[in-house]
Amino acid sequence: MAAGPDALSLFAAIGLSEPKARETLKNEALSALLREAVTQAQGILGPTVDKATGTLLYNVASRLKDQKRLRFLVGCITSRKILTDLQLSAALEYVRSHPLDPIDMADFEHECGVGVVVTPEQIEEAVEAAINKHRAELLSERYRFNMGLLMGEARGSLRWADGKSIKNEVDLQVLHLLGPKTEADLEKKQKAGKAKPAEVERQQKALEENGGVTLETKSLMEQLRGEALKFHKPGENYKTEGYVITPHTMALMKQHLEITGGQVRTRFPPEPNGILHIGHAKAINFNFGYAKANGGVCFLRYDDTNPEKEEEKYFTAIRDMVEWLGYKPHAVTHASDYFDQLYAWAMELIQRGHAYVCHQRVEEIKGHNPPPSPWRDRPVEESLLLFQGMKKGKFEEGEATLRMKLVMEDGKLDPVAYRIKYTPHHRSGDRWCIYPTYDYTHCLCDSVEHITHSLCTKEFQARRSSYFWLCNALGVYCPVQWEYGRLNLLYTVVSKRKIIRLVEAGAVRDWDDPRLFTLTALRRRGFPPEAINNFCARVGVTVAQTTMEPHLLEACVREVLNECAPRAMAVLEPLRVTITNFPTEKALEVLVPNFPADETKGFHKVPFQATIYIEHSDFREVMDKGYKRLAPGQPVGLRHTGYVIAVQNVIKDAGGQVMELEVTCTKSNSVEKPKAFIHWVSDPLVCEVRLYERLFLHKNPEDPAEVPAGFLSDLNPDSLRVMDSALADRSICSAKPFDKFQFERLGYFSVDPDSTEGKMVLNRTVMLKEDPGKV
């Protein structure tokens, strides 16, 4: 809007400075509302409006959500019913809480302090009471005492008192009690001491290890209980910006509260056509977590409206993953539970003139600018008969759809409500050949289940208008849709279509291949559910889309496994070692703590005998500078044994490869302390160990700018290495699938379901710390 002289002079008439007036004119919505308010005020008060009134007019224009209340509030300001910003705040809250006409003026004036006069004597008494309450602390701390506390308590007992008058009275009474400020009062308060260098170093190291993100963040529950999400209270849906209010809104809200008892209700509504991934973990935590944090309930509702892609295994896997993350649904429901009601509502929608049967093909109405339907204005009776014919199977697939008469927020015209599919449904069989779409189903299922907060990801923001429109078009309870940002990870793909392509190409075994970031894959790899929940909490609930490096998730995994995964020893690339002077004929038993930091958690026994196995990489024939492990002339200690070994003989095969070492052992307390202690196994268990790396080479494998040939061309050839002759100590021989261990010096490992009685299979979950060689 141009900053014309008329607009500037109009805003100047209420006391706005020229810069402020010009800044206001840049906001077209605000300036239009302010013009209307000032014009109305001048019509009552004349061309000159005092600055105090002008400030109130500006504040009402900038803060009012429901524009139809502008004239009412300007009338209250010009009639001197509202005199302070405090009263204006109360008035704005009142009209937000009472969206329907008529307004009860007596109640409004009472809630906004209209006509209330606070005398100087009342202010003096209130301040005196606050000072007497804190007299001892005031005398002790003098002018360093928080005077805001006194002002707050005085204001609490005199809601409509002028803030400046309270402050002046506080200053006067404090001066009378303490006298003028002394030099000691004027000295600056000493700041808290800086963290010690060692503490600073520890904090910096923690930040570096976790990619610059500190792990000491609020839990998701703390976030959801706090100020992070200022959602409406149950029954106060109409206070939400953009919520559409009808003459039936308040009656429906009253009925809703009677049914729910004012309880928070959310839902997690996955499509049962694939396996959940890490992004769904955030949605699960958000929906179930928000309900739990507020004493409410969360439904698990399958959006089973597309029978072509739905399979029973997905229903089972989805519920398993929700419960694996630690959440119990209040009820498990299906969109198909409501097919009869949804059909009846579709008939009603047609009868009310809000929907019609259309014969445009799918390819004709794709995109955001399809041609208008020539059948949009067909008679209601005709659409009713045609829709019934669709239900009875009188049309081919794609020959007819039911469309709703509305324009969505993204400009899409008349979204489809029903389409024809001659595919049996997993629950209803062949009973239906028409199925509702997401745009039609979602809000109505939310309404049936009396959901209070319909939480969904940001891409559904364009459907918020259709969400409100459809509930109101049918005159049913309308929940509130809230959008939040998706959670994505680098170096992966989560699209169902792309995971299927990976499986078909043989790049991964199935949906639960541990290189993927589906929840079943993460469980199989050994990620604890607590770690995934912690990760979601640390990412937080934001409106913006979040794309994270995988190492932050891995840091959460290490944090949990460090506390719950018992220690054991394993050797991935074994080198046989014979101790020629082993001190006894029989094997010794070595006690190894399950958790070295807390020996109260017990020990396990490991045999120690003349033949042991060490990592091939823990021996070198020729020492490099800085090398501290075993080499000729350089002994090492064996962990937990109390012995040091020294190389006597190196045995090689015909090709010159080292096959075996002959060593001698000495008690560690009788020789110089070695430079290193290495792990080992004796009488071991033969295992298969699978070592996983990132599946893709680039951060964004789906980005054509990074990977022009497509994501399948970006596969990491070293994403899986199988060590089929690894050795582990026998303390793990009774482990079951998904049991977890920390193998000393190697990382955290989890027992894979592929394990058999004859051979255990272990997946490396994460290394002990982030690999500095990774990007």
Coordinates of all heavy atoms in Angstrom, one line a residue, residues 329 670 751:
P329 N -2.1 -47.4 23.1 CA -3.3 -46.6 22.6 C -4.5 -46.7 23.5 O -4.8 -47.7 24.1 CB -3.6 -47.3 21.2 CG -2.3 -48.0 20.9 CD -1.7 -48.4 22.2
S670 N 54.8 -57.7 38.5 CA 56.2 -58.0 38.6 C 57.0 -57.5 37.4 O 58.2 -57.7 37.3 CB 56.5 -59.5 38.7 OG 56.0 -60.2 37.6
V751 N 21.9 -58.9 19.3 CA 21.7 -60.2 18.7 C 20.6 -60.2 17.7 O 19.5 -59.7 17.9 CB 21.3 -61.3 19.8 CG1 21.1 -62.6 19.2 CG2 22.3 -61.3 20.9

